[in-house]
Amino acid sequence: MEALAVRLSGLNPYVDGALRIVAFYDTLIHRRVNVSALVRASAGLAECVAGIRLHGTGRAIRVAPDGEPAPAASSPASTTTPITLDEEEIGTAWLERPGAPNALDGILLDRLAIAAATAVERYGPARTTMADPALVELVISSDSDEAARARALRLLGFTAHSPVHVVAVHARLPLDRIAALICPARPVKSAPLADVGAVLATTVDRTGFPDGVRAGIGSGGSPDRSWQRARTALRFTTARRPVVHHDDLGALALLAQVSRATTHDNADVAAVARIAGNSEDLETLDAYCATGSLRRAADLLHLHHSSVARRLKQIAKVLDIELTEPRGLMRAALALTAWRLHDG
């Protein structure tokens, strides 16, 4: 191959220059340089300002020939070319050469675009946790084909084989702050969707969620399935249990598939709905179902156990369930959970 290159370079100075450019960018790709380094190297090679803008970030990188950030553009780009990945345009590369373009500028930009697409696929376009909601929706939608989902994941910075957990979040805090706390080791991306925030992360630290956040964590695997499970887990969250992993629900997750009409027709659920009008009774029942113990429920409620016993006796009458029996406790817990899923 080298011998062929030498013979070709001797035919024409243009061919010699083109081959040198190709070899230059092949070396950069082999060294796995990132996008910023590519722009810096290109500006030095072209001896003029070089720039790249990726659609995933919207931020332009412009570098002068000396390797420093270029000042504000005083003239339009002299030559431009799209950056494509898997036949999708993901950005633009350009040169800002004063006067007429160089004969080799087109080749230089073509190779820069190829190297930039390789770097984006390897490292992702940004180091921020916020992402384009359209890309996130493409990843988690059940209607997306696998090729489109894979492209979107690459554009978001996830490698082909990295596990992706999806988290559904209800919070007043900024999503990017939450994402950084639960996955301090990137990559992690987040975006607000119609009614809930979505976070995509390679790992999720359950202890990292700040106070005031409700979150459902989906299992790994297909992102669309993980998103569905994260939304289901979010429905099971409570003030006492603000973060729920779908894997921890087990058979309880089946309750989420029961319709509202079917739930309302159940006598136990209807009885819980009546209790819900009294916040103290509802809190007492919740604490007792969560602990299965009168004394532990009293500790949670910061009450004397005799006070809790009196409340539970009245609640048992409304429910028409013997709460001191294991079967009765199970009925009450299921009814409370079913009521919460639709009305809580």
Side-chain angles (χ1 to χ4, degrees), residues 129 167 169 171 173-190 199-201 203-213:
T129 63
V167 184
V169 177
L173 294 175
L175 270 178
D176 57 343
R177 178 183 165 189
I178 297 170
L181 289 172
I182 65 174
C183 187
R186 306 270 175 79
V188 56
K189 295 293 179 181
S190 58
V199 178
L200 279 63
T203 60
V204 178
D205 178 8
R206 299 193 207 186
T207 65
F209 289 95
D211 293 338
V213 173

Side-chain angles (χ1 to χ4, degrees), residues 137-149 222-225 227-228:
E137 286 195 276
L138 192 59
V139 170
I140 63 179
S141 173
S142 58
D143 296 329
S144 299
D145 62 75
E146 291 307 312
R149 196 189 319 278
S222 174
D224 58 324
R225 181 176 297 179
W227 172 241
Q228 292 171 359

Side-chain angles (χ1 to χ4, degrees), residues 6-173:
V6 171
R7 289 200 299 271
L8 288 173
S9 65
L11 298 177
N12 190 312
Y14 175 85
V15 174
D16 181 45
L19 289 173
R20 292 179 185 274
I21 290 173
V22 171
F24 178 81
Y25 283 100
D26 283 350
T27 300
L28 293 179
I29 292 173
H30 180 71
R31 291 178 179 175
R32 298 172 176 264
V33 301
N34 59 24
V35 173
S36 297
L38 282 172
V39 179
R40 191 162 52 248
S42 299
L45 179 63
E47 298 182 336
C48 69
V49 172
I52 278 180
R53 178 181 287 105
L54 298 175
H55 300 333
T57 65
R59 183 174 66 91
I61 303 173
R62 296 175 59 254
V63 180
D66 61 1
E68 297 298 319
S74 58
S75 59
S78 57
T79 313
T80 64
T81 193
I83 302 171
T84 60
L85 180 63
D86 291 339
E87 301 181 355
E88 179 180 344
E89 185 175 326
I90 63 169
T92 305
W94 69 87
L95 296 177
E96 300 175 19
R97 187 181 298 284
N102 187 291
L104 291 171
D105 283 356
I107 293 177
L108 187 151
L109 278 181
D110 284 343
R111 301 305 298 182
L112 171 57
I114 292 171
T118 302
V120 167
E121 186 171 21
R122 180 178 296 122
Y123 299 114
R127 293 296 179 188
T128 63
T129 63
M130 295 304 292
D132 182 351
L135 279 178
V136 173
E137 286 195 276
L138 192 59
V139 170
I140 63 179
S141 173
S142 58
D143 296 329
S144 299
D145 62 75
E146 291 307 312
R149 196 189 319 278
R151 285 196 298 271
L153 282 169
R154 282 198 296 270
L155 290 173
L156 289 171
F158 295 93
T159 61
H161 302 294
S162 60
V164 177
H165 297 267
V166 186
V167 184
V169 177
H170 274 157
R172 294 183 179 180
L173 294 175

